């Protein structure tokens, strides 16, 4: 019995010594936590931009509460994120705002107590980006060019970063252009809004809405319009957009014989004209008579002009002779004045063949 008691006492003593050794070991590796972290040195971050957290403190474990919904330190039901093993962490915020990001450093003592240290920083998130990426006038009118179900859509061309040209077939003038139209656009941020600066005040536009509110006509003429992209942070980017009628020869004749016009289905600004003249007419010095836009005074003004050229030489109806022994290309250049003296131009090409 004495031997049994001695053995049990020895075992207890051994376990006690081992436990003490473990406690001493844990105490030896214990690191007093000190929460200290840094983020990228920026006055604010964009929505969806990665914010990088860097550990500059001490501890055994580090956790981050970014401060957005469901990740608020101390709030019931919120959760934090464990950092990477190298003490780094990255996060992107989905909404603009100012967030209180909290960094927790922790260590465990030999007795099982967990010691915490807390650091925090305010992170400002904005949506200053969000400019106009694309802009068009969809389903303007049904055209028979490609079948009964074809609707023309004018895809805006960014002539400059803040200037947009929307080409429109002449056949849509004036019935479809001189009225309110719908719009389709894409912005660089879901938090930005697009407004039209109308005479009656700013009107918010909705992409592909059935409501048609944007107008280009004023006093029976098409005028450049102003669009404003406004971000949630209040930043405003301004764009000038023009609806430009594609120039067309509404008549073309030689020796009283009218040409037969056909359009290249690959584009609305490429045409062909065929003329059948008597064989005894000299084709080296023919003088065509032509008309653009039917000389419409609403499309041709002091600040809306059309220049007709052949090989860069200006052509005057009923005056300029042309050698038609081979097909000749006429170029119509329509020019419209914009703001600050800017000139918008659009070219149409006619390949003319005299047989």
């Amino acid at each position: 019995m004495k031997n049994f008691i001695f053995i049990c006492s020895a075992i207890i003593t051994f376990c006690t010594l081992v436990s003490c050794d473990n406690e001493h070991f844990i105490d030896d590796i214990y690191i007093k936590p000190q929460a200290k972290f840094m983020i990228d040195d920026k006055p604010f971050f964009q929505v969806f931009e990665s914010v990088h957290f860097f550990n500059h403190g001490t501890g055994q474990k580090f956790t981050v509460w970014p401060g957005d919904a469901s990740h608020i330190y101390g709030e019931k039901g919120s959760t934090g994120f464990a950092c990477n093993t190298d003490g780094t962490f990255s996060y992107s915020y989905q909404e603009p705002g100012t967030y209180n990001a909290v960094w927790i450093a922790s260590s465990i003592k030999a007795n099982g107590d967990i010691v915490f240290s807390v650091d925090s920083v305010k992170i400002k998130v904005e949506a200053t980006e969000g400019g106009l990426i694309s802009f068009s006038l969809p389903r303007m009118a049904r055209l028979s060019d490609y079948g009964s179900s074809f609707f023309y859509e004018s895809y805006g061309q960014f002539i400059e970063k803040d200037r947009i040209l929307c080409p429109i077939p002449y056949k849509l003038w004036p019935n479809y252009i001189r009225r309110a139209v719908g719009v389709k656009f894409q912005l660089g941020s879901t938090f930005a809004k697009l407004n039209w600066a109308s005479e009656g005040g700013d009107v918010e536009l909705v992409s592909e809405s059935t409501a048609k509110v944007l107008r280009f006509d004023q006093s029976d003429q098409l005028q450049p319009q102003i669009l404003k992209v406004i971000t949630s942070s209040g930043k405003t980017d301004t764009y000038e957009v023009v609806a430009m009628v594609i120039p067309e020869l509404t008549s073309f004749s030689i020796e009283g014989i009218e040409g037969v016009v056909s359009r290249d289905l690959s584009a609305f600004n490429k045409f062909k004209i065929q003329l059948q003249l008597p064989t005894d007419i000299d084709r080296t010095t023919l003088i065509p008579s032509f008309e653009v836009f039917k000389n419409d005074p609403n499309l041709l003004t002091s600040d809306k002009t059309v220049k007709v050229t052949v090989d860069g030489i200006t052509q005057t109806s009923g005056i300029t002779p042309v050698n038609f022994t081979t097909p000749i290309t006429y170029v119509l250049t329509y020019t419209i004045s914009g703001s600050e003296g800017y000139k918008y131009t659009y070219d149409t090409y006619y390949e003319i063949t005299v047989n």
Side-chain angles (χ1 to χ4, degrees), residues 2-13:
K2 291 182 179 179
N3 289 338
F4 175 76
I5 295 174
F6 175 77
I7 292 172
C8 288
S9 298
I11 292 173
I12 293 172
T13 302

Side-chain angles (χ1 to χ4, degrees), residues 323-336:
N323 183 346
F324 280 101
T325 54
T326 59
I328 297 297
T329 298
Y330 273 61
V331 180
L332 281 60
T333 301
Y334 192 29
T335 301
I336 292 180

